């Protein structure tokens, strides 16, 4: 017999299990590093894309804004001018009508505006549906329906009672009429 307290097969199994655990840990670390590198790469690509989009946006803004600040000058002119609804009592020709400045949008800018408006409308619709389906609103609807049903039942009962009264009154009138006719014979 040997002096070891652990059988040989148990030692081999333990070392194999430890080796497998080390390999699993190593594989997990390598996968985590690979995922981290991929995430870093995606982040760099997103930042590059953001920078490109910012440049395109600045170029679009430069193209769409006029050379001189017409808006500021127009606001100042409008603030200085006194507005009168009618020209009653004034001599001279009627005031000149300001020309409306129309901006035209390029196709991509128009598509972007339409897309944004669509997204806003969709988000508003989703918010409204989510709010309409919330438990508080459903409870309010259920409560109001219950009240409406009770009111309708009460109305039907009172109409039924009124109709029954009228029916009985007609019946009594008919019987009274028959009695009077028999008495007059």
């Amino acid at each position: 017999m040997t002096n070891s307290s652990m059988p040989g097969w148990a030692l081999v199994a333990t070392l194999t299990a430890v080796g497998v655990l080390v390999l699993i840990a190593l594989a997990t670390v390598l996968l985590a590093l690979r995922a981290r590198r991929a995430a870093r790469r995606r982040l760099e690509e997103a930042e590059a894309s953001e920078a490109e989009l910012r440049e395109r946006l600045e170029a679009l803004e430069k193209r769409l804004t006029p050379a001189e600040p017409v808006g500021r000058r127009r606001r100042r002119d409008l603030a200085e001018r006194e507005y009168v609804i009618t020209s009653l009592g004034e001599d001279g020709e009627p005031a000149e009508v300001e020309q409306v400045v129309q901006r035209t949008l390029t196709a991509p800018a128009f598509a972007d505006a339409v897309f944004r408006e669509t997204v806003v409308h969709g988000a508003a619709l989703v918010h409204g549906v989510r709010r309409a389906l919330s438990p508080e609103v459903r409870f309010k609807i259920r409560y109001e329906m219950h009240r409406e049903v009770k009111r309708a039942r009460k109305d039907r009962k009172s109409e039924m009672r009124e109709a029954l009264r009228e029916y009985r009154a007609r019946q009594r009138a008919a019987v009274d009429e028959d009695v009077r006719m028999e008495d007059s014979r």
Side-chain angles (χ1 to χ4, degrees), residues 121-179:
H121 284 295
L125 175 68
V126 167
H127 173 72
V129 168
R130 185 181 308 138
R131 187 166 178 195
L133 295 177
S134 71
E136 296 87 18
V137 173
R138 288 194 321 246
F139 176 77
K140 285 179 186 177
I141 292 170
R142 191 178 312 122
Y143 178 74
E144 290 300 324
M145 287 296 295
H146 180 71
R147 282 182 55 193
E148 182 64 23
V149 166
K150 281 177 73 172
R151 186 197 60 75
R153 281 186 198 141
K154 191 175 179 180
D155 289 348
R156 276 196 308 272
K157 279 184 181 179
S158 65
E159 288 173 4
M160 188 64 155
R161 276 187 245 130
E162 184 65 31
L164 192 57
R165 277 189 214 120
E166 289 177 13
Y167 173 73
R168 288 180 180 158
R170 281 194 227 123
Q171 290 293 328
R172 281 192 303 267
V175 168
D176 290 342
E177 186 70 30
D178 288 344
V179 169

Side-chain angles (χ1 to χ4, degrees), residues 37-112:
R37 271 189 245 123
R40 187 176 297 136
R41 192 173 343 114
R42 283 194 307 268
L43 179 63
E44 290 170 356
E45 290 172 0
E47 287 173 348
S49 174
E50 178 191 6
E52 179 187 335
L53 286 173
R54 284 186 189 276
E55 290 172 5
R56 287 177 56 195
L57 179 64
E58 289 172 4
L60 278 173
E61 286 176 347
K62 285 179 184 176
R63 243 184 16 202
L64 291 176
T65 54
E68 26 179 293
V70 176
R72 290 184 195 154
R73 186 185 55 193
R74 182 173 284 161
R75 276 189 238 122
R76 185 178 30 130
D77 292 345
L78 292 176
E80 291 174 358
R81 185 182 312 155
E82 179 181 341
Y83 287 99
V84 180
I85 296 175
T86 64
S87 59
L88 185 66
E90 293 181 5
D91 294 333
E93 297 179 16
E96 295 179 17
V97 177
E98 285 187 31
Q99 288 184 343
V100 177
V101 178
Q102 292 182 346
R103 290 191 322 182
T104 57
L105 294 176
T106 61
F110 177 75
D112 183 50

Side-chain angles (χ1 to χ4, degrees), residues 1-8 11:
M1 281 197 140
T2 61
N3 288 341
S4 73
S5 61
M6 181 184 275
L11 181 63

